[in-house]
Amino acid sequence: MDAQRYEKALADPSDVFETPEAVLEADDLDREQKIEILRRWEYNVSEEDVALEEGMPGEESGLLRRILIALGTLVGPIDVSHTPPSKQHGLPRSSLKKGD
């Protein structure tokens, strides 16, 4: 993946990838790049879920669950006990344990 496309994926993963599974299948990304893209996607979707909870228009898509499954594929079990006490529930790096 060229640097410009990777930067675009970091800014908004859904602009570059149709699904979290497509990130996993991208042969031109290394494991760390995939993890970072999925982390950012998880944060973006968590913010959207908060907006829905607060009455903004839209509907739940199940995308967050798919992102977490994709992340789990790369890093192993996600330690949700290290999730910060915020509405966004973004995953800090410490909750993503490096798999072998």
Side-chain angles (χ1 to χ4, degrees), residues 20-21 24 38 62-76 78:
E21 297 82 10
L24 293 177
L38 289 167
L63 182 58
L64 182 59
R65 181 177 183 279
R66 292 172 58 201
I67 293 167
L68 293 174
I69 290 170
L71 268 170
T73 299
L74 294 170
V75 301
I78 296 173

Side-chain angles (χ1 to χ4, degrees), residues 37-61:
I37 289 168
L38 289 167
R39 278 189 71 251
R40 291 182 187 214
W41 205 345
E42 180 272 334
Y43 183 80
N44 293 346
V45 171
S46 292
E47 284 192 327
E48 290 170 11
D49 284 354
V50 169
L52 288 174
E53 287 176 13
E54 294 177 352
M56 298 290 286
E59 52 187 70
E60 292 186 38
S61 66

Side-chain angles (χ1 to χ4, degrees), residues 39 42-44 46-47 82-93 95:
R39 278 189 71 251
E42 180 272 334
Y43 183 80
N44 293 346
S46 292
E47 284 192 327
H82 284 100
T83 301
S86 69
K87 281 187 160 186
Q88 283 82 6
H89 304 293
L91 294 173
R93 292 183 193 282
S95 67

